[in-house]
């Protein structure tokens, strides 16, 4: 029922700190777009269902120890193994909503206090992956994140790490070539945030054919 038959889909990434509401917002967004007649697929990273994803899941749950470089490259490999199917969907007019992507990948690794992974090193394995047409960064203060309940038990779910992650995310957003990043105030109510997200996504989906074919991350 839409005009997408002859156009490509949009690649929309949702990023942010833990407890910013990414997963709930991705689900709401995917449902609303579907109700409007768009073809949509919802993907999340890490995708813990693949063999590489299982290694990542074990690591995050503290069941295995891995060198920081090694786990970093597994997170990236987990995106590379999904890249072709994302490209195919986009080419076939299906928009893909992605819960966490390369930005989380670079930022979480570089935020580790005990490692010497620079943001620049951490970004390199992402070069060449499908480039998002739009990246929504769900921003909440560390105080608001704390109000939303305690941390889970996984690795990275602690105050020091979250503070560093937030700072690094903000430094990424300021880079001039990252003009597809749109900052959303995720401290508002679920409904308000959903409305604030829908608007730029619809705008992006309208403009995607003017952008041309799906680009690659540089
Ligand atoms: P979830 O809570 O969203 O399942 O994420 N992470 C994620 C990385 O360190 N590198 C990555 O490339 C990605 C996608 C963020 C689990 C944790 O994994 C971190 C939180
Ligand atoms: Mg989490």
């Amino acid at each position: 029922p839409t005009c997408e038959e002859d156009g490509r889909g949009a690649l929309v990434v949702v990023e942010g700190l833990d407890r910013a509401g990414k997963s709930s917002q991705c689900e709401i967004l995917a449902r609303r777009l579907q109700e409007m007649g768009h073809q949509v697929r919802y993907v999340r990273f890490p995708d813990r269902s693949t063999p590489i994803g299982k290694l990542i899941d074990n690591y995050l749950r503290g069941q295995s120890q891995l060198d920081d470089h090694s786990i970093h490259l597994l997170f990236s490999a987990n995106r590379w193994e999904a890249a072709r199917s994302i490209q195919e969907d986009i080419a076939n007019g299906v928009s893909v909503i992605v819960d966490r992507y390369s930005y989380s990948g670079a930022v979480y690794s570089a935020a580790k206090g005990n490692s010497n992974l620079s943001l620049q090193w951490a970004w390199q394995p992402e070069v060449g992956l499908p480039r998002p047409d739009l990246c929504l960064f769900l921003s909440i203060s560390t105080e608001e994140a704390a109000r939303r309940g305690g941390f889970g038990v996984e690795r990275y779910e602690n105050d020091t790490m979250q503070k560093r992650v937030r700072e690094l995310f903000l430094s990424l957003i300021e880079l001039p070539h990252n003009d597809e990043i749109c900052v959303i105030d995720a401290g508002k109510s679920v409904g308000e945030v959903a409305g604030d997200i829908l608007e730029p996504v619809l705008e992006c989906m309208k403009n995607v054919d003017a952008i041309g074919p799906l680009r690659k991350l540089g």
Side-chain angles (χ1 to χ4, degrees), residues 15 18 22-23 44-48 56 60 71-72 75-76 78-79 99-109 112 126 154-157 161-162:
E15 284 280 10
D18 292 84
K22 289 182 298 303
S23 305
R44 62 179 304 169
F45 293 111
D47 172 0
R48 303 187 193 215
I56 295 171
L60 286 173
I71 180 63
H72 178 74
F75 273 113
S76 184
N78 189 231
R79 280 183 282 282
D99 189 343
R100 288 197 192 275
Y101 199 58
S102 305
Y103 312 94
S104 280
V107 160
Y108 276 77
S109 288
K112 288 177 169 184
E126 307 303 313
E154 291 202 330
R155 246 182 245 265
Y156 306 156
E157 295 184 319
M161 187 65 189
Q162 296 292 316

Side-chain angles (χ1 to χ4, degrees), residues 3-46:
C3 52
E4 284 162 5
E5 289 91 61
D6 40 13
R8 73 164 171 96
L11 181 56
V12 177
V13 165
V14 179
E15 284 280 10
L17 293 176
D18 292 84
R19 289 168 302 167
K22 289 182 298 303
S23 305
S24 318
Q25 289 297 340
C26 283
E27 278 159 28
I28 295 170
L29 176 63
R31 200 177 55 236
R32 288 213 180 151
L33 292 174
Q34 268 155 3
E35 284 164 3
M36 295 170 78
H38 297 284
Q39 288 180 272
V40 182
R41 182 160 69 103
Y42 171 36
V43 178
R44 62 179 304 169
F45 293 111

Side-chain angles (χ1 to χ4, degrees), residues 59 67-76 79 102-123 125-126 156 161 164-165 168:
Y59 174 80
D67 171 77
D68 291 334
H69 304 77
S70 185
I71 180 63
H72 178 74
L73 294 171
L74 287 175
F75 273 113
S76 184
R79 280 183 282 282
S102 305
Y103 312 94
S104 280
V107 160
Y108 276 77
S109 288
K112 288 177 169 184
N114 54 347
S115 82
N116 300 310
L117 305 196
S118 69
L119 203 52
Q120 202 196 8
W121 185 90
W123 185 259
E126 307 303 313
Y156 306 156
M161 187 65 189
R164 289 209 193 95
V165 163
L168 286 170

Side-chain angles (χ1 to χ4, degrees), residues 80-102:
W80 277 103
E81 65 183 343
R84 183 193 294 269
S85 85
I86 291 176
Q87 269 157 351
E88 283 171 0
D89 276 352
I90 299 281
N92 290 326
V94 179
S95 287
V96 182
I97 312 292
V98 186
D99 189 343
R100 288 197 192 275
Y101 199 58
S102 305

